[in-house]
Amino acid sequence: MTETALTPNRPQDRILVGIDTPDPERATRLSRELTGLVGGIKLGLEFFNANGPDGVRRVVRAGPAETPRGQPPAQQRLFLDLKFHDIPNTVAGAVRSVMDLGPTILNVHASGGAAMMKAAREAADFQADALGVVRPMLIAVTVLTSLDDDDLAAVGQQGPAEDQVVRLARLTQDCGLDGVVCSAREIAAIRAACGPDFKLIVPGIRPAGSAMGDQKRAVTPRQALDAGADFLVIGRPIAAAADPAAAARAIAQELAA
Ligand code: C5P
């Protein structure tokens, strides 16, 4: 099975909302408010370690409170951002274990190596077949954007960081994964190396005029799309907005323009 679940048919399908909270009520409320308005939500280590798989299930099932009679509640799409990094056997097991949460996107660290990434892909294929579902998009983290060239050298990785990003993106592709998480300024180099079908998921997005927070080199949603991003990870500009649904709609409009 090679097809994955997330095809961006509408501009808003490219938006993945980072919900960075340990609070299940807040996450559930946001998920419900945003169902249908965005491509999905991203839950990561903070939420998962506080609430576990059952917490994740509750949040993704939190479709609109009112659904037409006889319709199942809408299900929010899930990017499960747990960044697996361990020996191949353990990562394969971790992938199988989270598959019944129905993630649309799953990720691993590319620096875990080729055997680990191939094991993740095989485990996702196997478990998707076993469950009769479309396999999740499998992506890798290359170099954490919190690391600079000196940090890389200190852990024995050869910089400059952009070269290491491209090296790991190629390896990710060779291992049969679908794409990588990258910053907007890495898009061009990865596209040149990995071609048009490799999925690029880009955080560090700020709508024009919004607070930068701790993002130092943010780009606007439109700039990220024009640069070649496939999906945009947007956290606080939507999740911390007074009206998250309105914020999501405004960004979708910017993407459609
Ligand atoms: O609130 P904000 O839009 O900055 O959130 C961005 C999301 O993307 C957060 O979940 C953050 O952990 C994640 N992220 C990031 N920068 C990276 C990788 C991931 O901001 N380089």
Side-chain angles (χ1 to χ4, degrees):
M1 207 181 283
T2 52
E3 283 307 306
T4 62
L6 190 49
T7 308
N9 295 318
R10 309 167 304 163
Q12 60 264 45
D13 292 335
R14 297 186 184 275
I15 304 172
L16 304 169
V17 182
I19 298 189
D20 295 304
T21 176
D23 175 356
E25 273 75 43
R26 182 170 141 66
T28 302
R29 202 167 52 243
L30 275 166
S31 177
R32 181 180 296 136
E33 282 174 27
L34 295 168
T35 300
L37 299 181
V38 296
I41 55 166
K42 178 172 86 72
L43 293 175
L45 290 166
E46 183 177 4
F47 185 87
F48 192 82
N49 284 301
N51 301 289
D54 283 342
V56 173
R57 274 188 200 98
R58 275 201 298 278
V59 172
V60 294
R61 282 191 193 140
E66 302 293 326
T67 52
R69 254 176 104 78
Q71 297 277 310
Q75 173 128 345
Q76 184 63 272
R77 288 202 197 88
L78 171 67
F79 172 6
L80 192 59
D81 181 18
L82 299 180
K83 300 186 181 71
F84 295 138
H85 188 174
D86 210 311
I87 60 170
N89 191 51
T90 300
V91 166
V95 168
R96 284 194 300 273
S97 287
V98 296
M99 283 282 296
D100 80 325
L101 297 176
T104 301
I105 307 178
L106 273 182
N107 60 2
V108 300
H109 270 284
S111 53
M116 189 205 80
M117 286 196 278
K118 286 179 185 160
R121 169 69 205 256
E122 278 165 24
D125 285 347
F126 175 88
Q127 199 67 2
D129 279 344
L131 296 172
V133 298
V134 177
R135 92 166 159 82
M137 189 184 295
L138 256 184
I139 59 169
V141 174
T142 57
V143 176
L144 293 169
T145 47
S146 51
L147 304 179
D148 63 18
D149 292 351
D150 290 341
D151 296 318
L152 280 188
V155 295
Q157 290 190 26
Q158 199 185 331
E162 188 174 298
D163 291 359
Q164 178 68 347
V165 165
V166 170
R167 197 178 297 130
L168 288 174
R170 283 188 205 274
L171 183 66
T172 298
Q173 189 172 40
D174 289 346
C175 292
L177 272 59
D178 302 293
V180 292
V181 183
C182 69
S183 76
R185 71 205 138 88
E186 294 161 351
I187 292 174
I190 301 174
R191 274 269 169 261
C194 299
D197 296 332
F198 197 58
K199 302 291 181 242
L200 302 182
I201 300 190
V202 178
I205 309 285
R206 288 292 174 272
S210 72
M212 293 294 275
D214 50 8
Q215 297 284 6
K216 295 202 177 73
R217 280 181 289 268
V219 297
T220 68
R222 184 78 246 169
Q223 284 169 333
L225 207 62
D226 290 346
D230 293 292
F231 297 100
L232 315 178
V233 175
I234 305 177
R236 288 159 287 183
I238 294 175
D243 183 344
R249 283 199 185 92
I251 293 172
Q253 242 168 29
E254 183 185 332
L255 294 178

